[in-house]
Amino acid sequence: MVPLPIDIVVPQVLAELRAHRSLVLVAEPGAGKTTRVPPAIVKQKLLSDEHPNVVLLQPRRVAARAAASRIAEENGWQLGREVGYQIRFERRISADTRLHVMTEGVLARQLLDDPILEGVGCVILDEFHERSLHTDLAVALLREVQQTVRPDLHLVVMSATLEAEPVSRFLGDCPIVRSVGRTYPVSVEHAGAVHRLDLPARVAAIVAEPAGGESGGAAGAAGAADDGAGDSGAGDGGAGEGGAGDVLVFMPGVGEINRTMDALEPLARRDGLLVLPLHGQLASDEQFAALRPARGRRRKVVVATNIAETSLTIDGVRTVIDSGLARVAGFDAQRGMDRLELKRISRASATQRAGRAGRTAPGRCVRLWSAVEDKNLDAFETPEVRRVDLTQTVLALHAWGHPDPRKFGWYDPPDERALVAAERLLEMLGAVTAEAGGKITALGRQLLALPAHPRLGRLLVAAAELGLVREGASVAALLSEKDILRPRTDLHPSERHARVQTDSDLLERLDLLESRRRDADVDQAALRQVMQARDELERTARRISDRGTGASPVHPRRPAASSASGSQTDGEASSSSAAPRARSGGTPKPREEAAAAHYGDDALLRLPLWAYPDRVCRRRSIDPSAGVMVGGSGVRLAPESGVRTADFFLALDPRQDERNPSREAVVRIASKVQVEWLEAMFPQEIRRRTEAVYDEGRDRVVGVETVLYRDLALREHSDAAVDAATAERVLAEWATPRAWDLLRRDERAERWLARLALLGKAMPDKGWPAIGDATAREVVSGAVGGKRSVSQLAPALLPALQGLLQYPLDRLMEAEAPESIEVPTGNRIKLDYPPQNDVIAQPPVLAVRLQELFGMIETPRVAGGRVPVRLHLLGPNYRPVQITDDLRSFWSTTYFQVRKDLRVRYPKHAWPEDPLSAKPEAKGSRRRS
């Protein structure tokens, strides 16, 4: 084997493990810790004959496969004998295997079956700095096992970028061993800030730069799986003679990878480059194609997500181009849905990425952000335990003996809101009892035995009860894996019926899965993954169904745990059966054919409701593409969804994406829900609420009986009886905030307020009360007694206002701001009081026929004579012929011109030469008070 930096400290590692049960190993990128330390522990027979096996935990499936292969190659071992691996749906381990490489979720499931970890003497947690939820759960569970039933168990935590001291303290102040790793320098350049949409073009420009540097350094023959694993073997790893070596490009997601590959295509054709993707959604052979050296000494460009950040070495890489971005999965506990955020990576991640360029020769790292931005990077990523769904983890802790997850010995405690959301969902699923400190149920233990999230486990259990195991496994696989239908990027958001209308987007995918049709929109790689997951889920579901309640046995001293939530790492749960799995597939059993025929599509549509009872949505009447989900979150159907008519539907894949400008979660896969299903399947979530509300349309307080599913209204009935006291209270609650509006809508109340306002300005010395918002609300509130409607309330407003004036102000108002004035004919004519908005008091208006004022010399006055009335003198047609507040002047000057004009038009009316001595006439209709 080619010497690696880690070799120097391996003897120290072994010595410390002989003296202590735990160890933290910090080895820089390129040291070779993954491929050298685990086999050294096996070869040195450090462990007892009773527990001789070593378990090496990897954060991702591709890393686990590659690590096992590389260890076998370096040590002349056979894969599947001395060393093997176990990941989701794949296992190459035999009775002779002493070194087991697996993802953390697989170990958690083995702890469920055997919390003693029979036969395992040492567990190594590699790449601990990634801090996946699986890692955090695994180290806490293992520490508890070590402290209780297995004090002989060795624990080793390894990482390249890690604050070792906190981990050492968690493991009982264990020793820390450090190793220097990278032996080749990496020059780091900052290309300046680059917008996300411009990243592909910028990458293509950098790749197209003239090749520089010297080819050199040995490179491994196969894709390696450790910091430094690629430092063994011979050949130049595709660097080419005198070339700059291969290029590794880090992009945040699959979409950006595809666009970058498109941008590189002309360059690849011109220069013969081999451009390959690398991300977790690829099949294993496609992933290994990116890891292996290219044939024919071609220069290779690998465009990858952060899957290539640690654990994997891509031989021959001399140049790293880093976008500095990662698409990070999270969980909105308040809204109960996943979210996807595009974030700037941490300084630790940037260091890891740059280190990929210095494994076999001096390298270069081009960072597509500025030096100023670089200084503001966070030191480390936020651990997954603080940002992802905890449902499966909390269920596992229930089985482990911790019904209150807050009392569990976390390495890093999670957020309280996430714990509450997980506990609430488990209650809905029936996995734990609803009382405080709830206990795991028999159903909950069944869900732990299934290699799926508890949501999908509940679906599978329901499917088994209906005799629809295969159909249930298909539905669960479609919901757990990548969508087999590619997103329709060609659709404009305004296209609401892009696909044929359907009751369920899920059934459309189920038909494609069963027919295996090579539709242009079908992602064939995703289809293969779904088929594999379906077959595995079907086998497990049948096994559990055949056992009845069939939960895995739980050790009486300490129950065990399952895998954690779905995150971007690959530590998913996997069956722990020792025998290699054969594909089941095939034809459903006769009873299942009968069951499927009996239940029909409705039964299939109910299955996802068992899994997602908290994602029921009610369609908005004003927009068929939008809805409101349980809890109040807004959702919007993607244009390609065909579920456009059902009043209620399930949002099966709501995703809050930072690229979505609104706060609504986008849903590509929806499925119809009927109210009757909710009432039958979740009676404990149905409640009836009767409340009284004021109905403006009917102008009365009505009783509304609402049937709710959790907080989502299913139907309403608005004719329930309402007692008098309740009606009065509801009317007051509605009317009081609208007090001013109601007072101004009532003519009599508005006139009274105007009279009071005039007196307040003209006669402030009398102490008139000011009517503000608070007083208006008191008036309206005091007037609602015994009322059920605004129409009943209106007549009571003026008396309520008048009650504000005590003697003698009430008498003074009638005298100094009268509602009407008597004119010489003896008629009383109403005064109109305008609103008082100005500093100067606005006079009231008296609109009166001119003939009725014959003999009146002076202008009437109000407010103790301080405010003259404004006279609107009307002609026989009741239209103003003159506006004045000086009647004496009018008679002596303007009257004669008015008389001259009007006597011609109205000759039958009196137009005396001396209006002051003439008899007033009341002929014609008038407006009276």
Side-chain angles (χ1 to χ4, degrees):
M1 290 188 290
V2 174
L4 294 176
I6 195 69
D7 295 338
I8 299 173
V9 301
V10 167
Q12 182 184 355
V13 168
L14 298 175
E16 294 289 2
L17 285 177
R18 286 190 179 93
H20 305 87
R21 294 303 178 188
S22 299
L23 173 74
V24 177
L25 173 59
V26 181
E28 292 184 12
K33 60 185 181 301
T34 300
T35 56
R36 297 293 168 89
V37 172
I41 295 174
V42 172
K43 292 177 180 178
Q44 292 296 316
K45 296 185 178 180
L46 186 68
L47 309 177
S48 68
D49 293 337
E50 184 182 4
H51 303 295
N53 297 334
V54 175
V55 171
L56 171 63
L57 299 182
Q58 289 293 314
R60 296 180 176 86
R61 284 174 281 182
V62 61
R65 288 194 204 96
S69 298
R70 186 62 182 177
I71 290 171
E73 179 184 347
E74 283 193 350
N75 293 275
W77 291 348
Q78 182 178 341
L79 188 63
R81 292 197 62 182
E82 295 90 346
V83 60
Y85 66 88
Q86 184 173 348
I87 59 176
R88 191 185 187 205
F89 305 151
E90 192 174 347
R91 188 175 192 271
R92 293 192 66 178
I93 289 175
S94 67
D96 297 327
T97 304
R98 290 291 171 264
L99 178 52
H100 300 232
V101 186
M102 60 182 66
T103 49
E104 294 108 332
V106 175
L107 175 72
R109 180 154 299 279
Q110 290 190 354
L111 280 168
L112 176 66
D113 292 333
D114 176 20
I116 303 297
L117 280 183
E118 200 70 42
V120 177
C122 180
V123 179
I124 304 172
L125 294 92
D126 199 10
E127 307 298 351
F128 188 80
H129 66 276
E130 292 198 15
R131 293 294 306 281
S132 73
L133 177 56
H134 305 291
T135 302
D136 273 31
L137 180 62
V139 73
L141 292 174
L142 290 166
R143 178 60 175 159
E144 189 166 308
V145 168
Q146 187 188 56
Q147 289 179 309
T148 54
V149 296
R150 284 288 311 279
D152 63 318
L153 180 65
H154 289 79
L155 298 180
V156 179
V157 172
M158 303 195 305
S159 179
T161 53
L162 175 69
E163 289 182 304
E165 287 72 16
V167 185
S168 172
R169 286 194 296 271
F170 185 76
L171 297 178
D173 293 320
C174 68
I176 300 172
V177 177
R178 302 180 187 274
S179 169
V180 177
R182 189 189 311 118
T183 56
Y184 298 99
V186 175
S187 64
V188 176
E189 308 166 22
H190 288 96
V194 180
H195 190 275
R196 178 172 60 87
L197 297 179
D198 299 328
L199 288 173
R202 189 72 181 95
V203 168
I206 295 173
V207 174
E209 292 174 359
E214 301 176 0
S215 72
D226 169 58
D227 310 314
D231 294 336
S232 61
D236 62 25
E241 292 184 13
D246 294 338
V247 179
L248 174 59
V249 182
F250 284 100
M251 282 290 163
V254 176
E256 289 85 357
I257 287 176
N258 293 335
R259 288 191 289 274
T260 302
M261 293 178 67
D262 290 341
L264 288 168
E265 185 177 357
L267 189 64
R269 288 197 304 267
R270 187 193 73 185
D271 296 343
L273 298 177
L274 180 62
V275 181
L276 297 169
L278 180 58
H279 52 80
Q281 296 174 7
L282 295 172
S284 58
D285 56 341
E286 295 173 303
Q287 291 174 336
F288 273 110
L291 300 177
R292 288 190 296 265
R295 293 182 179 178
R297 303 165 67 85
R298 294 175 66 186
R299 192 177 182 214
K300 185 171 63 176
V301 179
V302 177
V303 190
T305 61
N306 58 359
I307 191 174
E309 188 173 300
T310 59
S311 300
L312 297 174
T313 292
I314 304 173
D315 294 328
V317 170
R318 305 286 193 276
T319 301
V320 166
I321 304 174
D322 188 359
S323 68
L325 299 171
R327 189 153 281 117
V328 180
F331 180 70
D332 187 333
Q334 184 175 359
R335 303 174 62 170
M337 66 180 69
D338 296 328
R339 64 170 180 254
L340 202 60
E341 297 178 287
L342 187 69
K343 299 181 67 176
R344 180 67 69 186
I345 61 174
S346 68
R347 186 170 293 106
S349 292
T351 300
Q352 286 280 2
R353 293 181 177 189
R356 302 287 106 182
R359 298 306 174 84
T360 56
R364 173 193 184 206
C365 175
V366 182
R367 291 175 172 169
L368 304 184
W369 65 91
S370 68
V372 174
E373 289 177 297
D374 192 74
K375 294 179 181 178
N376 294 324
L377 295 180
D378 293 336
F380 296 95
E381 306 291 345
T382 301
E384 278 192 350
V385 71
R386 292 188 173 273
R387 57 179 170 85
V388 301
D389 177 24
L390 299 177
T391 304
Q392 194 160 1
T393 301
V394 172
L395 180 60
L397 293 178
H398 271 275
W400 187 255
H402 286 286
D404 185 353
R406 297 155 191 83
K407 297 179 181 178
F408 177 61
W410 297 96
Y411 176 71
D412 195 355
D415 185 79
E416 173 65 17
R417 290 173 299 177
L419 291 175
V420 171
E423 291 171 328
R424 180 71 179 106
L425 177 58
L426 289 172
E427 290 173 14
M428 288 194 72
L429 297 176
V432 300
T433 56
E435 71 271 9
K439 298 179 180 179
I440 188 169
T441 63
L443 174 59
R445 297 195 183 280
Q446 277 187 291
L447 302 187
L448 276 176
L450 289 164
H453 189 281
R455 289 184 183 274
L456 301 181
R458 184 65 187 91
L459 184 157
L460 289 168
V461 170
E465 291 171 350
L466 294 173
L468 299 173
V469 174
R470 183 170 178 81
E471 290 80 359
S474 297
V475 171
L478 286 167
L479 293 173
S480 65
E481 303 301 315
K482 179 187 175 185
D483 190 4
I484 64 173
L485 282 178
R486 294 188 177 91
R488 292 287 299 276
T489 56
D490 59 317
L491 295 179
H492 189 274
S494 63
E495 298 181 70
R496 301 303 182 195
H497 306 286
R499 294 188 184 275
V500 177
Q501 290 193 16
T502 177
D503 284 340
S504 175
D505 299 315
L506 188 61
L507 290 186
E508 177 186 11
R509 288 159 172 80
L510 187 61
D511 291 341
L512 289 171
L513 174 63
E514 295 302 327
S515 66
R516 304 186 188 182
R517 193 164 72 243
R518 300 191 67 84
D519 191 293
D521 290 336
V522 174
D523 184 329
Q524 294 299 319
L527 182 63
R528 290 193 298 270
Q529 289 179 345
V530 169
M531 291 169 61
Q532 182 185 23
R534 175 199 60 193
D535 294 342
E536 176 69 18
L537 291 171
E538 182 183 359
R539 279 191 293 270
T540 310
R542 288 192 192 283
R543 187 165 62 247
I544 293 176
S545 176
D546 292 342
R547 293 205 305 256
T549 57
S552 298
V554 179
H555 196 277
R557 286 180 286 179
R558 177 62 65 193
S562 176
S563 74
S565 75
S567 64
Q568 286 191 320
T569 57
D570 291 323
E572 300 93 335
S574 174
S575 173
S576 57
S577 170
R581 281 66 177 275
R583 290 179 58 88
S584 62
T587 305
K589 297 179 181 179
R591 74 178 182 90
E592 292 183 13
E593 290 178 337
H598 173 72
Y599 289 106
D601 282 354
D602 270 7
L604 293 178
L605 290 177
R606 292 189 199 198
L607 289 180
L609 183 55
W610 286 112
Y612 298 97
D614 55 336
R615 293 187 183 173
V616 178
C617 303
R618 181 172 187 167
R619 191 182 305 279
R620 298 187 189 275
S621 58
I622 60 174
D623 185 353
S625 68
V628 59
M629 190 166 66
V630 167
S633 300
V635 299
R636 180 165 297 277
L637 296 172
E640 59 260 45
S641 172
V643 182
R644 299 284 165 175
T645 59
D647 291 334
F648 295 89
F649 60 88
L650 273 181
L652 293 173
D653 66 337
R655 182 55 64 92
Q656 193 72 48
D657 195 325
E658 83 288 343
R659 293 167 291 185
N660 180 16
S662 73
R663 284 289 294 162
E664 294 175 318
V666 177
V667 178
R668 295 186 67 236
I669 307 177
S671 189
K672 178 187 76 172
V673 171
Q674 292 184 6
V675 170
E676 295 77 10
W677 301 350
L678 297 171
E679 293 175 324
M681 295 166 62
F682 302 98
Q684 74 280 6
E685 300 293 343
I686 303 294
R687 59 190 178 93
R688 284 169 171 76
R689 180 184 66 200
T690 301
E691 59 181 348
V693 298
Y694 175 71
D695 187 326
E696 293 185 62
R698 292 191 283 179
D699 183 28
R700 64 186 177 93
V701 175
V702 298
V704 178
E705 184 180 75
T706 307
V707 178
L708 298 109
Y709 172 75
R710 299 185 71 181
D711 63 349
L712 194 68
L714 301 180
R715 53 177 174 264
E716 293 181 346
H717 172 67
S718 58
D719 286 316
V722 181
D723 61 78
T726 301
E728 179 181 322
R729 174 183 56 78
V730 170
L731 182 62
E733 290 172 352
W734 184 89
T736 300
R738 301 168 176 82
W740 272 116
D741 182 56
L742 293 173
L743 291 172
R744 286 164 178 157
R745 280 163 49 185
D746 184 81
E747 183 179 355
R748 296 173 64 206
E750 184 180 33
R751 189 185 311 133
W752 189 92
L753 288 169
R755 293 164 63 199
L756 179 66
L758 172 65
L759 293 174
K761 287 187 176 183
M763 305 176 71
D765 53 308
K766 301 300 182 181
W768 303 99
I771 308 297
D773 289 341
T775 304
R777 288 195 293 268
E778 290 176 6
V779 167
V780 171
S781 178
V784 299
K787 312 297 190 301
R788 289 176 175 265
S789 67
V790 171
S791 58
Q792 292 176 344
L793 172 63
L797 294 178
L798 178 59
L801 284 171
Q802 291 172 332
L804 296 175
L805 295 183
Q806 301 298 319
Y807 179 83
L809 290 181
D810 54 346
R811 301 291 180 86
L812 190 60
M813 171 181 269
E814 295 304 319
E816 302 302 338
E819 290 192 74
S820 61
I821 288 181
E822 184 174 334
V823 295
T825 59
N827 289 328
R828 294 197 67 85
I829 299 178
K830 184 178 68 174
L831 286 170
D832 287 331
Y833 288 85
Q836 300 296 313
N837 297 323
D838 299 330
V839 175
I840 300 174
Q842 298 298 309
V845 174
L846 179 68
V848 59
R849 289 178 67 248
L850 189 151
Q851 281 84 358
E852 290 203 57
L853 297 184
F854 289 164
M856 179 180 281
I857 299 176
E858 300 295 338
T859 302
R861 288 178 173 271
V862 297
R866 301 175 190 181
V867 179
V869 173
R870 182 165 293 163
L871 298 171
H872 286 203
L873 303 177
L874 310 178
N877 61 351
Y878 288 91
R879 292 181 180 177
V881 296
Q882 185 67 31
I883 297 175
T884 183
D885 57 6
D886 187 347
L887 188 59
R888 180 186 290 274
S889 175
F890 170 75
W891 292 133
S892 62
T893 56
T894 312
Y895 169 73
F896 297 102
Q897 182 62 46
V898 170
R899 174 179 178 267
K900 178 182 178 180
D901 293 339
L902 293 181
R903 69 186 296 187
V904 176
R905 295 167 55 190
Y906 303 101
K908 294 183 179 181
H909 290 262
W911 303 105
E913 290 188 11
D914 183 7
L916 296 181
S917 61
K919 181 181 180 180
E921 296 185 359
K923 183 180 179 180
S925 60
R926 297 170 181 81
R927 182 171 53 155
R928 302 295 199 283
S929 59

